[in-house]
Every structure is written in structure tokens, then in C-alpha cells.
Amino acid sequence: MPTETKSDRETAWRRDLAAAGELTPGVVDAVATIHGTRGTRAIEAVSEGRVKRYRDFTVVVGYAEEYVVEDGGCTCKDSSYNLDTEDDDQRCWHVLAAAVAERIGELDHHDMWYSDVREFL
């Protein structure tokens, strides 16, 4: 997941987070200020260990189901229907959670293919 984004504000918190290697009050504030409730939900998901990395995908466990995050996109309905594609600061909370977890090493690694696991869900 790249650190550079089309949003200077998002790139800044991603860089700060990568440099610190942990959630700092400044980064938490930046994520919440830029991304609002989605940012807050993302940080909660990371702190609850709900970001999983499989061989093929990163998956974020939502409240009702799991969502695949890939190449900055997500399979959730928020991404499909609610986000303004013209606004570079808008991301669903699943994409934000994956970005945060990756930078602070809080991915729950699974040495298997998610596509195989998905068959059992």
C-alpha cells in the first residue's frame, strides 16, 4: 500500500505513521480530522486486531462481514456508493485501517490464500 496519495494531508499522516512505527496522538488526530468517523473506525479496527493479511489479500473484519482491500480499493458498499471519487481525502474505513495496520506492523498474518478461506465462510 503506497505512502504517496493524491491527498497531501493523507500522505503526511501516512509518512508520519511509517516513521513513528506506532500510533501517535498527532497521527490519530490527523486521521480523525481528515477522515472523520471513518478514520476513527479505522483506528478502532486496528486496535482490535481486525486487519488480516493473507497471501493474496488484506481483509478487514467489519461488523457484519469481511471486506477485501486491494490497491487502495475495497469491496464494501461505502466505497461503491458513498465516496466522492473526486475527493482525494475520502476513503472507506477498511482502506484506512489497512493503511494504518500495515505501517505499524499490526496485520494479523495468515499463511494461506483468502480465496480458499472464503469458500468456508
Side-chain angles (χ1 to χ4, degrees):
M1 191 164 293
T3 298
E4 301 296 320
T5 68
K6 293 180 181 179
S7 166
D8 292 338
R9 298 184 323 157
E10 185 173 347
T11 296
W13 72 252
R14 287 179 181 223
R15 282 185 185 159
D16 291 347
L17 187 57
E22 64 183 3
L23 281 169
T24 63
V27 170
V28 170
D29 184 54
V31 172
T33 298
I34 297 166
H35 300 289
T37 327
R38 289 181 180 113
T40 304
R41 289 175 76 182
I43 291 169
E44 288 171 0
V46 173
S47 68
E48 294 169 0
R50 294 190 285 133
V51 183
K52 302 176 184 181
R53 178 68 194 144
Y54 292 88
R55 290 180 186 167
D56 46 357
F57 298 113
T58 298
V59 174
V60 178
V61 179
Y63 300 111
E65 59 186 282
E66 295 184 345
Y67 301 97
V68 173
V69 175
E70 182 179 33
D71 297 326
C74 182
T75 58
C76 74
K77 290 179 181 169
D78 192 29
S79 284
S80 298
Y81 301 111
N82 299 328
L83 300 180
D84 180 358
T85 56
E86 301 297 316
D87 185 344
D88 294 329
D89 286 334
Q90 287 199 7
R91 308 262 188 269
C92 72
W93 68 268
H94 313 103
V95 168
L96 295 170
V100 169
E102 180 179 285
R103 282 162 184 74
I104 62 172
E106 287 296 324
L107 293 165
D108 182 11
H109 289 276
H110 295 269
D111 189 21
M112 59 185 71
W113 301 100
Y114 182 69
S115 52
D116 291 339
V117 172
R118 188 71 181 153
E119 292 174 13
F120 297 110
L121 299 178

mmCIF file of all heavy atoms in Angstrom, residues 5 14 41 60 92:
data_model
loop_
_atom_site.group_PDB
_atom_site.id
_atom_site.type_symbol
_atom_site.label_atom_id
_atom_site.label_comp_id
_atom_site.label_asym_id
_atom_site.label_seq_id
_atom_site.Cartn_x
_atom_site.Cartn_y
_atom_site.Cartn_z
ATOM 1 N N THR A 5 -0.149 9.502 -1.820
ATOM 2 C CA THR A 5 -1.520 9.501 -2.306
ATOM 3 C C THR A 5 -1.752 10.808 -3.055
ATOM 4 O O THR A 5 -0.885 11.675 -3.090
ATOM 5 C CB THR A 5 -2.529 9.389 -1.148
ATOM 6 O OG1 THR A 5 -2.486 10.583 -0.366
ATOM 7 C CG2 THR A 5 -2.245 8.177 -0.268
ATOM 8 N N ARG A 14 0.413 9.339 6.602
ATOM 9 C CA ARG A 14 0.988 8.028 6.276
ATOM 10 C C ARG A 14 2.511 8.043 6.469
ATOM 11 O O ARG A 14 3.075 7.086 6.997
ATOM 12 C CB ARG A 14 0.641 7.626 4.840
ATOM 13 C CG ARG A 14 -0.806 7.212 4.663
ATOM 14 C CD ARG A 14 -1.106 6.840 3.238
ATOM 15 N NE ARG A 14 -2.483 6.467 3.042
ATOM 16 C CZ ARG A 14 -2.868 5.430 2.306
ATOM 17 N NH1 ARG A 14 -1.981 4.675 1.702
ATOM 18 N NH2 ARG A 14 -4.151 5.162 2.171
ATOM 19 N N ARG A 41 -13.116 4.877 13.104
ATOM 20 C CA ARG A 41 -13.455 3.451 12.997
ATOM 21 C C ARG A 41 -12.251 2.632 12.535
ATOM 22 O O ARG A 41 -12.051 1.494 12.981
ATOM 23 C CB ARG A 41 -14.624 3.254 12.047
ATOM 24 C CG ARG A 41 -15.935 3.769 12.637
ATOM 25 C CD ARG A 41 -17.073 3.693 11.664
ATOM 26 N NE ARG A 41 -17.532 2.312 11.532
ATOM 27 C CZ ARG A 41 -18.507 1.953 10.709
ATOM 28 N NH1 ARG A 41 -19.102 2.845 9.946
ATOM 29 N NH2 ARG A 41 -18.874 0.693 10.628
ATOM 30 N N VAL A 60 -10.299 -6.758 6.065
ATOM 31 C CA VAL A 60 -10.683 -6.072 7.293
ATOM 32 C C VAL A 60 -12.018 -6.646 7.739
ATOM 33 O O VAL A 60 -12.968 -6.726 6.956
ATOM 34 C CB VAL A 60 -10.787 -4.547 7.084
ATOM 35 C CG1 VAL A 60 -11.238 -3.859 8.360
ATOM 36 C CG2 VAL A 60 -9.446 -3.987 6.627
ATOM 37 N N CYS A 92 -12.914 4.612 2.522
ATOM 38 C CA CYS A 92 -13.721 3.870 3.491
ATOM 39 C C CYS A 92 -12.827 3.508 4.676
ATOM 40 O O CYS A 92 -11.598 3.517 4.577
ATOM 41 C CB CYS A 92 -14.329 2.622 2.859
ATOM 42 S SG CYS A 92 -13.149 1.296 2.533
#
